[in-house]
Amino acid sequence: MKIMCMGDSITYGNGLLDLSDRWTDIVADRTGHTLVNLGIGGDATGGMLARCQTQVFAKDPDALLLLGGTNDICFTYDYHQAFCNIVSMIRHAQTFGVPIVIGIPIPFVPERFAKQEWFADRDNEYITQQCERLAQVLRAFCASRGIPIIDYREAFLNGDGTVKTQLFTDALHPNAGGHRVMAELLCRRLGEIFPAT
């Protein structure tokens, strides 16, 4: 299968010393599928929507895996625009007959938030709440329409709902261990979503 992986810095692999440690590369090595990494650091879902036509649908993919939305929330303090853009990409994929899988974004880690490096006025608690809300509405929307998801967020949480901070390099980005967790989850889910592959 040729799977186009549309996303932001979490897909691109920001913070990794070796890009071969990215979840996309690990899954490609383990499964033999071609995973095309279309992650761009700092991209929001509006940018992903704009890129889909030329970078995804024009390339005759077997599937699209979409993972994004956290940057939208960090930039705008609101999950609604991210949700709307993701729904638009779902609709476009369905129009082009491309199976789509929605990644539920990993958590935001406020205790790793470096105010001196980013924005001094950020409300970490509110960003965390908005990220959780995006996860909730994506799960509900996809469940109501039979769209498969990869729940990366759940994989980064302990049983008590706290974040597995050992899997992060900072507030947003997984380290090599985090990418391995993402890869293991995707390997399992691909066999469930596309059982004939």
Side-chain angles (χ1 to χ4, degrees):
M1 290 185 69
K2 180 168 73 172
I3 305 170
M4 314 302 276
C5 300
M6 177 62 74
D8 50 31
S9 56
I10 294 169
T11 296
Y12 175 76
N14 281 38
L16 293 176
L17 297 176
D18 186 344
L19 290 181
S20 67
D21 288 330
R22 296 185 294 193
W23 58 269
T24 53
D25 294 60
I26 296 170
V27 173
D29 288 342
R30 291 185 184 176
T31 66
H33 296 309
T34 299
L35 275 71
V36 180
N37 190 307
L38 299 174
I40 293 180
D43 203 7
T45 56
M48 296 175 203
L49 177 60
R51 292 193 284 130
C52 266
Q53 179 62 47
T54 57
Q55 294 186 348
V56 177
F57 304 127
K59 303 296 185 181
D60 194 28
D62 296 306
L64 167 61
L65 172 55
L66 174 61
L67 176 60
T70 304
N71 284 334
D72 298 67
I73 293 169
C74 288
F75 297 152
T76 69
Y77 264 29
D78 189 86
Y79 75 88
H80 290 91
Q81 189 62 56
F83 177 68
C84 290
N85 287 334
I86 290 170
V87 170
S88 293
M89 285 182 270
I90 290 171
R91 299 296 190 216
H92 287 170
Q94 292 171 334
T95 298
F96 283 96
V98 176
I100 187 167
V101 180
I102 299 301
I104 305 300
I106 65 175
F108 175 74
V109 191
E111 59 264 38
R112 296 270 176 113
F113 191 84
K115 286 190 174 183
Q116 69 276 14
E117 295 177 12
W118 296 1
F119 298 95
D121 61 347
R122 282 292 187 230
D123 183 337
N124 295 341
E125 183 177 347
Y126 189 73
I127 291 173
T128 301
Q129 292 169 354
Q130 290 292 293
C131 289
E132 171 59 25
R133 185 63 182 141
L134 176 62
Q136 291 171 351
V137 297
L138 285 176
R139 289 185 190 114
F141 180 86
C142 291
S144 70
R145 289 159 177 80
I147 299 166
I149 67 170
I150 309 290
D151 202 332
Y152 292 118
R153 180 181 181 83
E154 191 69 22
F156 278 68
L157 296 176
N158 295 303
D160 62 359
T162 58
V163 178
K164 297 177 180 177
T165 56
Q166 72 274 16
L167 298 178
F168 288 80
T169 61
D170 57 24
L172 296 174
H173 302 104
N175 57 26
H179 278 267
R180 286 193 297 272
V181 168
M182 295 176 74
E184 289 164 5
L185 176 59
L186 181 54
C187 285
R188 289 196 304 271
R189 288 289 288 136
L190 282 178
E192 298 166 358
I193 297 168
F194 304 109
T197 62

